[in-house]
Amino acid sequence: PMGSHVAAGGFTFDKISVGGTWYWTVRATNVQNSSQLYQVADITSPFGKLAAVDVPIPGDVVLEMASTIAQLQEQLAPLLALVGSTPTSYSVTVTEGDPMLSIAAVPFQNAGAFGSFLTAVATPSAPWLSAAPPTVAGLNKNDQGQFTIRVNPATLFASGSPYVGYLNLQDNRNPPTTIPVTVTVTVRPRPSVLVSPASVFLSYSLTGPVSGGAVALSVTNSGPSGSSLTFSVTKVGNISPWMEFVPASGGPLVSGDSAIVTFSIVPAGVPSVPGTYSDSVLVSSPNASNGPVVVPVTLVVSP
């Protein structure tokens, strides 16, 4: 027969075997940022403390010691659980070549027994899917942790879209609790920037009529169907106080759609000496296949 009770230093067990009653203590130690360690200690034989006497431990006692560790592990089992109504399915749309992005935070908690210690691991099913951090350890009962789901579109293509992957969340139970989180990624093809006209010409007369008027620059997404273009317009040298344009950004533009950027003269910035002055602007898109596009801008100042 075997008996047990809770002691200050752990759980103490006893078993009648060779020579009489054997006693031992099983201790569960929580190691921060790790997990629980289980240890058999204070083994006392019928002939005295094991540290003081040189006697073999009977086989049935050794087996019972292993069984008591397993029992304690079961009693102190953690339990991985999502917090509140946290979803287990996420969708995101990206463009080919986009940088890695974080798409969602998944909070979880240790809903296990009092005294349990949770280590949670997030294992992705696809190389483009990951969690940050991949492991969260050291959570007592009711403590919370969080995984951030990350997607890396670098190896994803529109031709293979959509992609479906799974982030399997597991705890350190035996067997482990597993919560699969589904991630669906829709991949758009890269847009392409087309401008018209290829350059902008402005004129200004120091004596009048003052200006030749504004000039419209058309920015078109010439990329394939399904692409989406957002763009920005910036001066290259920023040495042209005589020029302004609106808007400075635009989009999103689906394939074939255009936006108009209007260039005009700032009279206060026009040089007082007749001549030809030049600058350029860049029409840029973070994921276009051909950006940035350089658009020369020329100002002719006449007497």
Side-chain angles (χ1 to χ4, degrees):
M2 185 188 73
S4 68
H5 67 278
V6 180
F11 293 79
T12 298
F13 299 86
D14 61 80
K15 178 176 176 60
I16 297 174
S17 186
V18 177
T21 303
W22 292 70
Y23 300 90
W24 66 92
T25 298
V26 178
R27 295 172 180 162
T29 303
N30 292 345
V31 180
Q32 192 63 34
N33 296 324
S34 181
S35 58
Q36 284 174 315
L37 300 180
Y38 295 88
Q39 179 184 24
V40 175
D42 301 330
I43 302 174
T44 302
S45 75
F47 316 103
K49 286 277 190 181
L50 198 63
V53 295
D54 187 14
V55 294
I57 303 175
D60 61 338
V61 175
V62 173
L63 291 175
E64 205 60 67
M65 288 178 176
S67 176
T68 56
I69 291 177
Q71 292 176 39
L72 188 57
Q73 287 177 321
E74 184 175 350
Q75 292 176 24
L76 298 182
L79 178 62
L80 174 67
L82 299 182
V83 175
S85 57
T86 299
T88 57
S89 180
Y90 298 88
S91 298
V92 64
T93 299
V94 301
T95 296
E96 292 176 347
D98 276 354
M100 181 178 288
L101 70 159
S102 298
I103 66 169
V106 181
F108 60 90
Q109 63 183 350
N110 180 3
F114 179 79
S116 64
F117 214 49
L118 173 67
T119 296
V121 179
T123 305
S125 67
W128 49 264
L129 182 62
S130 63
T135 302
V136 176
L139 299 183
N140 294 301
K141 178 176 175 58
N142 295 328
D143 282 354
Q144 293 189 7
Q146 177 177 289
F147 289 121
T148 299
I149 302 175
R150 305 201 304 177
V151 169
N152 184 4
T155 59
L156 305 183
F157 299 94
S159 58
S161 180
Y163 293 81
V164 179
Y166 303 92
L167 201 62
N168 291 312
L169 313 184
Q170 287 189 321
D171 58 21
N172 51 320
R173 292 172 68 94
N174 186 22
T177 304
T178 301
I179 301 176
V181 177
T182 305
V183 179
T184 302
V185 181
T186 300
V187 184
R188 294 180 301 214
R190 289 175 179 261
S192 182
V193 179
L194 175 66
V195 299
S196 180
S199 57
V200 172
F201 291 90
L202 300 171
S203 62
Y204 188 88
S205 173
L206 294 175
T207 57
V210 174
S211 171
V215 174
L217 179 74
S218 175
V219 180
T220 302
N221 177 9
S222 59
S225 175
S227 63
S228 179
L229 173 69
T230 58
F231 67 90
S232 62
V233 185
T234 56
K235 294 182 182 180
V236 173
N238 201 26
I239 55 172
S240 49
W242 41 266
M243 171 182 61
E244 66 179 2
F245 46 83
V246 291
S249 61
L253 304 175
V254 300
S255 177
D257 273 4
S258 301
I260 298 298
V261 179
T262 301
F263 286 75
S264 55
I265 292 174
V266 180
V270 173
S272 58
V273 178
T276 301
Y277 301 87
S278 300
D279 198 351
S280 297
V281 297
L282 294 180
V283 181
S284 306
S285 176
N287 49 26
S289 59
N290 67 326
V293 175
V294 180
V295 179
V297 182
T298 301
L299 170 67
V300 176
V301 179
S302 58

